Amino acid sequence: MNQEPIYEGKAKKIFTTQNPDELLVYFKDDATAFNGVKKGTIVNKGMLNNKISTFFFDLLGKNGIPHHFIRMLNDREMLVKKLDILMVEVVVRNIAAGSLAKRIGWEEGRKLPCTVVEMYYKNDELGDPLINAYHIKALNLATDEQIRIMETYALKINDILTDYLKNKKLALIDFKLEFGIHKGEVLLGDEISPDTCRFWDTETGEKLDKDRFRRDLGDVEDAYEEVLFRLTGETVK
Ligand code: 5GP
């Protein structure tokens, strides 16, 4: 496949392919939190996130969201369209949790009266600070039109995922999205997985996402396994 490594992030490695418009994404078991301060391994996470992301990209594609995913290549690798990544992280929230609960002084688990969309500057050195549309323009991170498209897709993705997950007895608390430009078009990129979303069991409230790692709650692998199983009926053990 003429693969050259071009980037290694905290959870994934990116390789070139023989097609200059396409990249290979390899999902690692490495886990980090708090901007890399906490480090560890979640056994089989690479496989689980590859399969869970594949499932979500398929679901979103069928519902009209343009994305970078082309196909899964094997247990740990997917083929994607090459993007010029917009250095903005878009977070969508339905229930107060994590950094929002802290920032506004709400207890975790309190339902937000309306969906909240936030933008963060994707910048590890600065610790991904919260920014708004004015900052994005001033920093030249995206155009007004691209901001509008990201916001529209983010809200639509929230509706699609929330609806779908309800039937799997999973509450979508919040999630982070990344977007990029491919041939002039804004596409959803990155991954959608328990690393990037908060999923709580609708009956027990049990956390089935990376907060189990961040907060040392135990049973981290089992939580990721449970999400894949509820979505696809598949297991990787
Ligand atoms: P919070 O701002 O509460 O820490 O995160 C909100 C949501 O976005 C959570 O679902 C969290 O997993 C996701 N999120 C925000 N920033 C990041 C990030 O830098 N990496 C990952 N993996 N997820 C993030």
Side-chain angles (χ1 to χ4, degrees):
M1 270 268 251
N2 186 25
Q3 293 167 17
E4 292 293 331
I6 53 165
Y7 175 77
E8 179 156 4
K10 294 173 206 135
K12 299 187 284 297
K13 283 188 224 176
I14 313 289
F15 297 87
T16 57
T17 66
Q18 75 270 35
N19 183 336
D21 284 333
E22 297 178 359
L23 296 173
L24 185 151
V25 180
Y26 174 92
F27 286 76
K28 303 192 285 182
D29 284 351
D30 298 354
T32 64
F34 314 119
N35 201 18
V37 172
K38 182 179 170 118
K39 290 193 175 77
T41 299
I42 301 173
V43 176
N44 292 336
K45 177 170 81 83
M47 265 194 273
L48 290 158
N49 281 358
N50 187 28
K51 288 169 188 277
I52 293 168
S53 289
T54 291
F55 178 85
F56 282 132
F57 279 123
D58 271 344
L59 176 71
L60 293 173
K62 282 179 194 142
N63 284 278
I65 304 291
H67 56 64
H68 72 156
F69 174 78
I70 300 171
R71 66 176 185 276
M72 197 168 96
L73 295 172
N74 55 51
D75 278 354
R76 283 183 182 269
E77 293 176 334
M78 62 168 61
L79 192 66
V80 300
K81 294 178 186 167
K82 185 174 180 179
L83 300 181
D84 289 325
I85 293 287
L86 297 170
M87 299 309 276
V88 175
E89 297 186 351
V90 181
V91 169
V92 181
R93 302 180 184 268
N94 299 304
I95 306 272
S99 72
L100 177 71
K102 270 205 193 108
R103 191 179 327 117
I104 64 174
W106 282 26
E107 77 276 18
E108 204 168 63
R110 185 161 157 196
K111 189 172 172 8
L112 292 158
C114 61
T115 304
V116 169
V117 180
E118 297 171 341
M119 307 272 174
Y120 291 84
Y121 184 12
K122 185 172 156 62
N123 183 318
D124 281 342
E125 262 174 49
L126 300 176
D128 297 346
L130 180 69
I131 53 175
N132 64 28
Y134 290 95
H135 299 119
I136 293 175
K137 254 179 96 172
L139 289 165
N140 201 24
L141 303 180
T143 63
D144 280 343
E145 174 68 357
Q146 289 164 347
I147 296 171
R148 192 191 59 75
I149 293 172
M150 287 193 286
E151 230 171 57
T152 305
Y153 286 166
L155 289 169
K156 194 166 171 205
I157 290 167
N158 187 43
D159 288 344
I160 297 163
L161 297 185
T162 299
D163 258 17
Y164 189 86
L165 291 166
K166 218 179 276 165
N167 292 323
K168 306 289 175 182
K169 299 217 178 322
L170 289 171
L172 182 60
I173 307 305
D174 55 32
F175 57 97
K176 185 253 310 179
L177 302 169
E178 294 186 26
F179 294 89
I181 310 297
H182 180 85
K183 298 183 177 170
E185 200 194 351
V186 176
L187 302 186
L188 175 66
D190 196 42
E191 67 181 289
I192 304 176
S193 73
D195 269 13
T196 61
C197 305
R198 287 194 172 96
F199 302 120
W200 295 358
D201 183 278
T202 46
E203 277 166 16
T204 64
E206 188 188 6
K207 294 179 179 15
L208 295 170
D209 55 60
K210 196 173 164 190
D211 274 348
R212 302 206 72 83
F213 170 78
R214 296 186 187 106
R215 304 177 187 190
D216 295 320
L217 300 176
D219 297 329
V220 187
E221 293 90 352
D222 290 350
Y224 283 63
E225 278 273 3
E226 180 66 24
V227 172
L228 179 67
F229 184 73
R230 288 199 200 182
L231 293 176
T232 67
E234 218 186 318
T235 57
V236 302
K237 271 185 186 159

